[in-house]
Amino acid sequence: LNPDFADASKVFIVYCSSDSHAGSKVKSADDKWHFGGKAIVSAVVSELLTKHSLNDAAHVVVKGGSAGGMATFLNTDFIADSIKSHQPSASVFGFPDAGFFLDVMPYRVCDKPDVYECLCSHSLTCGIESLSEQMMKMWRYTSTIPDDNCAQTHGKWGAWRCALGQYAIPHIQAPVLINQMQTDSWQAFWDGFSNRTDTGENEYATWFRTQSQNLLRAGVDQNPHHAVFSPNCFIHTFSTSQSFWSITIDGISSRDALGAFVFKQEKVPRIIIDQCEGLQCSNGCKATV
């Protein structure tokens, strides 16, 4: 039983738009693909407000994992503004899980050439591609609608950065708790450091961990409304499994951190970044492998 959210209502927005819930592209004669993620989010929130009493909610948590975590950075303020236009006293929070993708130079070409994310790198010989290059392509192809404040800062040709948490978080007005592994396993797959027995990859993983720590801390240091919970395990999303409860930092779990964040329980620190020695070193990591 989750003591903080046992009586909460839950809404699941199916991920059928392939655009981190933020695209706005209408198909044309030259291109058969249509991306309507932002309109889907808008329609769901509108229906919840008018038909399902969302306008009576005191606390709302916007949460997504992986691409949905990226969508949380892109949509939390948008959703908060929609809710507050009906219920000004509502408290709206963002909780991106494994959506803080780093803008770094990869160590090598991504793993698993048969997986769709790597087809370009392997089959079409695009070579090593960074996540920033992927974000630029997604931005153009899906006509992504970003967070307004972030887009105003980065401008028309730099707004693609708003899909990456390190650039988005300083501009989000609603309180956000970043739930993020320091050596995220999907980013290890993409950036080419999943073989921890390889000396070079292990060295890169250690460097990547330091970058994660620094960027996560920098992202929340400047805004007292934001928070971070960051263990060091070699897994991806961890808010929809037992890891939400079992992986701990100084006795605090992700579940504890979320409950304290939403309901302002001061017993839990705002910034929780594990400084344990090595890789895969947080309490509870090995049980998840």
Side-chain angles (χ1 to χ4, degrees):
L1 180 68
N2 188 324
D4 294 310
F5 300 99
D7 60 350
S9 299
K10 182 177 180 181
V11 177
F12 176 63
I13 302 179
V14 177
Y15 188 40
C16 56
S17 59
S18 298
D19 57 7
S20 283
H21 297 286
S24 64
K25 180 180 178 182
V26 178
K27 68 179 181 179
S28 65
D30 299 324
D31 195 332
K32 65 180 181 179
W33 297 106
H34 177 95
F35 295 93
K38 201 74 169 190
I40 292 171
V41 171
S42 179
V44 169
V45 173
S46 178
E47 181 169 325
L48 291 171
L49 286 167
T50 57
K51 297 182 179 181
H52 300 284
S53 302
L54 180 59
N55 56 314
D56 294 330
H59 300 87
V60 178
V61 178
V62 180
K63 182 263 176 189
S66 192
M70 185 183 294
T72 305
F73 286 111
L74 288 164
N75 285 293
T76 294
D77 274 352
F78 174 72
I79 293 172
D81 289 345
S82 298
I83 293 172
K84 286 177 175 293
S85 68
H86 290 74
Q87 172 58 288
S89 64
S91 296
V92 182
F93 305 86
F95 184 53
D97 178 24
F100 195 89
F101 296 97
L102 268 58
D103 181 8
V104 294
M105 183 178 74
Y107 179 73
R108 59 172 171 81
V109 70
C110 64
D111 293 337
K112 302 178 182 178
D114 56 332
V115 175
Y116 77 94
E117 293 106 324
C118 290
L119 289 177
C120 183
S121 297
H122 288 271
S123 303
L124 302 180
T125 63
C126 295
I128 297 176
E129 283 206 330
S130 66
L131 275 170
S132 60
E133 291 171 304
Q134 286 289 300
M135 290 306 102
M136 291 180 214
K137 291 177 179 179
M138 183 187 82
W139 209 262
R140 289 178 180 271
Y141 197 63
T142 68
S143 298
T144 300
I145 298 177
D147 171 76
D148 286 341
N149 291 320
C150 182
Q152 288 172 14
T153 298
H154 291 288
K156 181 177 180 179
W157 305 112
W160 61 267
R161 293 185 177 92
C162 300
L164 298 177
Q166 69 191 78
Y167 302 120
I169 191 64
H171 308 289
I172 299 176
Q173 302 300 304
V176 173
L177 169 60
I178 304 172
N179 198 58
Q180 184 70 36
M181 289 295 172
Q182 296 166 32
T183 48
D184 178 276
S185 60
W186 189 92
Q187 294 186 69
F189 145 76
W190 179 263
D191 288 320
F193 64 96
S194 57
N195 181 7
R196 285 168 289 151
T197 63
D198 178 89
T199 301
E201 293 188 29
N202 194 65
E203 181 183 5
Y204 182 95
T206 302
W207 172 83
F208 186 95
R209 180 196 180 187
T210 301
Q211 296 301 304
S212 294
Q213 291 177 332
N214 292 342
L215 289 168
L216 287 164
R217 184 176 296 278
V220 302
D221 260 347
Q222 299 178 19
N223 190 328
H225 299 300
H226 297 331
V228 59
F229 181 81
S230 181
N232 186 31
C233 303
F234 198 73
I235 61 176
H236 191 37
T237 56
F238 61 107
S239 63
T240 55
S241 68
Q242 184 61 32
S243 299
F244 183 56
W245 303 73
S246 62
I247 294 176
T248 59
I249 304 171
D250 296 331
I252 300 168
S253 68
S254 177
R255 193 224 68 78
D256 297 330
L258 180 60
F261 183 65
V262 172
F263 298 106
K264 304 186 186 308
Q265 301 165 2
E266 296 182 359
K267 62 182 179 180
V268 175
R270 183 172 67 89
I271 299 175
I272 307 173
I273 300 175
D274 205 336
Q275 302 292 329
C276 58
E277 185 175 347
L279 299 171
Q280 184 82 352
C281 58
S282 292
N283 183 56
C285 282
K286 293 182 179 180
T288 70
V289 176

